Amino acid sequence: AVKTSGKMGYRFFDQRYSEAILLAHQKEAELRHAVEHDQLVMHYQPRVDVSTGITSSMEALVRWMHPTRGMIEPNDFIPLAEEVGLISRIGEIVVDKVCAQLAYWKRHEQQVVPVSINVCARQFHEADISKLLESHLKRYDIEPGLLEIEITESAMLEKTEEVIRSINSIQEMGIRLLVDDFGTGYSSLSQLQSLDFDVLKIDQAFTARLNTSNESNVLFKTIVSMAHSLGMRVVAEGVETLEQIKVLKAMHCDEMQGFYISRPLPPADTQPIMPKMIFSA
Ligand code: C2E
Ligand code: MG
Ligand code: MG
Ligand code: MG
């Protein structure tokens, strides 16, 4: 603690500081407990074709079901998990839950759509993601075409040898690769091209700005066109209005995701997940 304004100020600061440390330790202990006591669950948000409204995939999003505090969103525990070395363990749990869910859907549904899994940079450094995926696909008897991996653009900035090798073997297995949150990092599309991604997801901030200015629409359209010329499909994230859908259609954006179509849902609520016309025109 830093001595600021005399004895009282020092004590006050010191006390608050130790309370903060205590809370952080408590949260870490609770997260460790959560991980080992099955408090993590997956919700699924559909990604649909812009012109037909047909679900092309579902994004798996992790939630922490806290016994007293209720549902905690990933932004409130994933950063901590990365900091305290729990992210690889969470990654294993997520892959296991998604594969078990896909196996369940294969048994009970006529048609199964692929599921995308979010993987952050730290996970590539701490574990062999491709081995993890390979062993789970085998264990649950799932075709690699039913899995997709989302990697944020910012995670790609540190393209180390091991990350590139891991990404290549994931792709060689037949698992599709998606760039997540495009536009929030500082990479160029040509940098991404060298990694041969299949799909580009444009960050929700760009979708939110659609129709607010001519420049916003031009920028969006430019990203769509460039991605297409590099052979990638394009997804708009965070679609919340019908007006946005109309522009996306005019821009030939391929797929979209957002609260207007569906919030992330517990697996039981995603049925029927099949061809659903959610809008007209
Ligand atoms: P993301 O991968 O970009 O996921 C999209 C986030 O936007 C989700 O938040 C989703 O609920 C939210 N969203 C979807 N549609 C809309 C919309 O129309 N409007 C608004 N305002 N938001 C929308 P969520 O589930 O809280 O996840 C936040 C981030 O946490 C994810 O961003 C992803 O980076 C990370 N995350 C989630 N699950 C996992 C996981 O299993 N592993 C790892 N490593 N990260 C995860
Ligand atoms: Mg994502
Ligand atoms: Mg995203
Ligand atoms: Mg995000």
Side-chain angles (χ1 to χ4, degrees):
V2 182
K3 186 162 178 168
T4 47
S5 53
K7 218 171 186 174
M8 290 310 287
Y10 179 86
R11 251 193 75 199
F12 180 65
F13 182 80
D14 204 40
Q15 197 177 325
R16 260 203 330 209
Y17 181 69
S18 38
E19 267 167 27
I21 288 182
L22 200 70
L23 269 175
H25 279 301
Q26 190 186 331
K27 199 172 173 194
E28 181 186 337
E30 281 185 340
L31 185 56
R32 286 188 191 282
H33 182 86
V35 162
E36 297 315 325
H37 291 80
D38 205 25
Q39 289 176 8
L40 300 182
V41 302
M42 304 311 296
H43 281 188
Y44 294 85
Q45 185 182 36
R47 195 173 90 212
V48 305
D49 190 280
V50 173
S51 50
T52 64
I54 293 174
T55 303
S56 40
S57 178
M58 307 252 261
E59 179 171 11
L61 296 156
V62 71
R63 273 96 183 84
W64 173 6
M65 295 304 183
H66 192 281
T68 56
R69 283 189 277 147
M71 192 177 94
I72 304 178
E73 303 211 330
N75 289 335
D76 292 329
F77 67 90
I78 292 286
L80 174 66
E82 291 190 59
E83 214 175 289
V84 303
L86 277 172
I87 194 62
S88 298
R89 181 71 193 111
I90 291 179
E92 282 172 19
I93 293 172
V94 166
V95 169
D96 189 70
K97 286 191 183 292
V98 167
C99 290
Q101 186 64 58
L102 278 168
Y104 177 88
W105 278 330
K106 276 181 68 173
R107 268 183 276 121
H108 296 92
E109 304 293 323
Q110 294 186 329
Q111 243 182 316
V112 182
V113 291
V115 171
S116 67
I117 294 177
N118 292 282
V119 175
C120 61
R122 189 69 67 91
Q123 287 175 263
F124 280 103
H125 298 298
E126 283 180 13
D128 192 334
I129 307 281
S130 57
K131 280 224 179 76
L132 175 74
L133 294 169
E134 195 170 25
S135 67
H136 280 76
L137 288 177
K138 204 168 167 197
R139 183 184 307 165
Y140 289 97
D141 190 25
I142 292 167
E143 310 84 85
L146 282 180
L147 271 195
E148 300 177 326
I149 294 296
E150 300 196 7
I151 309 166
T152 59
E153 183 201 6
S154 47
M156 296 321 332
L157 293 180
E158 26 178 322
K159 275 194 301 183
T160 60
E161 279 288 312
E162 61 184 335
V163 174
I164 294 172
R165 216 177 310 122
S166 190
I167 287 178
N168 285 338
S169 45
I170 289 172
Q171 202 154 38
E172 277 159 22
M173 258 186 269
I175 297 173
R176 274 182 302 279
L177 288 178
L178 285 65
V179 182
D180 201 356
D181 300 349
F182 183 77
T184 57
Y186 298 93
S187 54
S188 64
L189 280 168
S190 59
Q191 270 177 297
L192 294 170
Q193 191 202 14
S194 62
L195 280 166
D196 211 18
F197 281 90
D198 304 281
V199 180
L200 185 84
K201 297 182 78 171
I202 302 180
D203 191 71
Q204 58 182 48
F206 293 88
T207 308
R209 284 198 289 269
L210 282 173
N211 292 334
T212 60
S213 71
N214 186 42
E215 288 76 18
S216 304
N217 287 22
V218 169
L219 179 59
F220 203 103
K221 174 64 192 159
T222 304
I223 300 174
V224 172
S225 304
M226 286 180 74
H228 280 165
S229 66
L230 294 171
M232 289 186 274
R233 282 178 74 77
V234 185
V235 180
E237 298 191 83
V239 173
E240 294 184 351
T241 69
L242 185 58
E243 284 62 44
Q244 290 168 342
I245 296 179
K246 288 179 182 158
V247 209
L248 293 174
K249 215 171 190 180
M251 288 178 178
H252 303 293
C253 178
D254 305 287
E255 296 171 27
M256 60 185 175
Q257 217 178 355
F259 294 167
Y260 187 86
I261 297 114
S262 170
R263 289 192 171 254
L265 301 165
D269 296 348
T270 59
Q271 279 115 24
I273 55 174
M274 278 304 92
K276 204 172 83 179
M277 297 305 294
I278 34 110
F279 51 86
S280 52

